[in-house]
Amino acid sequence: MILIGPPGAGKGTQAAFLVDTFRIPHISSGDMLRAAVKEGTALGKQADEFMKKGALVPDDLVIGMIIERIGKPDAQGGFMLDGFPRTAPQADALDQALKRAGVDLDVVLLIEVPDGLILERITGRRSDPQTGTIYHIKFNPAPADVVARLVHRKDDTEEAFGARLAKYHSETTPIIPFYEQRGLLRRVDGVGTPAEVTARIKTALADLS
Ligand code: AP5
Ligand code: MG
């Protein structure tokens, strides 16, 4: 399964429900890159320069990281990609890797949210570094006992968000027809409460669970 959607669409939020339903690993390229930055690995040092500006990390770095990850034992029964592929070369590389492995994609889930609603989601996001839980100061407030340890992503500024949204429209939306033409795409309206969006996803994927 692949999750696609603009920054702040709710991919990470909805992935928590999908993992419980399908019992497959949630593989978020953004989370993996942030972990590499935190650990100070060679990949992390290179990626950090691009990520903090809201630019895309070069394809060759991201493709290698994801293809290696989906080859791990826990991904052999299926996996959910979040944030990858997001360029045409990434979609091609994934396609080739899956063909080589004899794996068919079941579904590409597109969470649609209009541009005008996203900035507030991004600037109000807070994450728990201990559990990975995603909160929002207004739409999904954290319990009082974890508030002190919450972090704000470096690229969740208004400036970096503008660059991220522009990249989504220029690089990622062009790969959507690639999956639509193959009959894999399912669109879900991402406007409403997180629970309302989860309910729509359940309906959209009812034949798979
Ligand atoms: P990545 O981490 O993938 O960021 P993104 O795609 O911009 O998406 P986000 O994680 O910001 O949003 P989300 O859809 O997960 O929303 P969330 O559920 O958190 O990538 C970060 C960077 O890494 C990129 O810019 C790039 O530099 C690099 N990178 C990653 N992958 C790459 C690749 N393949 N190639 C090249 N570079 C790559 O929700 C957002 C907020 O909204 C939260 O506060 C949440 O609580 C709230 N919320 C969620 N749902 C709702 C709702 N229904 N109503 C109200 N609020 C809601
Ligand atoms: Mg995310």
Side-chain angles (χ1 to χ4, degrees), residues 29 32-33 43 60-70:
S29 48
M32 290 177 74
L33 291 167
L43 168 66
D60 53 339
L61 297 179
V62 182
I63 289 170
M65 176 184 84
I66 293 292
I67 303 298
E68 189 193 337
R69 177 65 187 86
I70 61 178

Side-chain angles (χ1 to χ4, degrees), residues 33 35-38 40-49 51:
L33 291 167
V37 171
K38 205 170 163 191
T41 64
L43 168 66
K45 283 181 186 141
Q46 283 175 284
D48 192 35
E49 291 307 310
M51 293 172 79

Side-chain angles (χ1 to χ4, degrees), residues 9 23 28 36 41 44 55 58 64 70 73 81-82 89 91 96 109 122 127 130 137 139 161 176-177 185 200 202 207:
R23 307 260 162 225
S28 157
T41 64
I70 61 178
L81 291 173
D82 160 2
Q96 286 169 26
L109 185 72
I122 291 285
S127 328
Q130 276 182 32
I137 52 175
F139 303 125
F161 167 69
I176 294 170
L185 193 76
R200 286 180 205 134
K202 273 187 188 164
D207 58 316

Side-chain angles (χ1 to χ4, degrees), residues 185-208:
L185 193 76
R186 301 192 191 185
R187 296 172 185 269
V188 168
D189 179 6
V191 181
T193 64
E196 284 166 346
V197 178
T198 302
R200 286 180 205 134
I201 294 176
K202 273 187 188 164
T203 306
L205 303 183
D207 58 316
L208 296 175

Side-chain angles (χ1 to χ4, degrees), residues 7-8 10-13 26 28 30-31 34 82-83 125 134 153 164:
K11 302 181 293 295
T13 300
H26 170 214
S28 157
D31 286 349
R34 279 184 289 279
D82 160 2
R125 171 169 41 197
I134 302 164
R153 260 169 56 176
R164 288 161 58 196

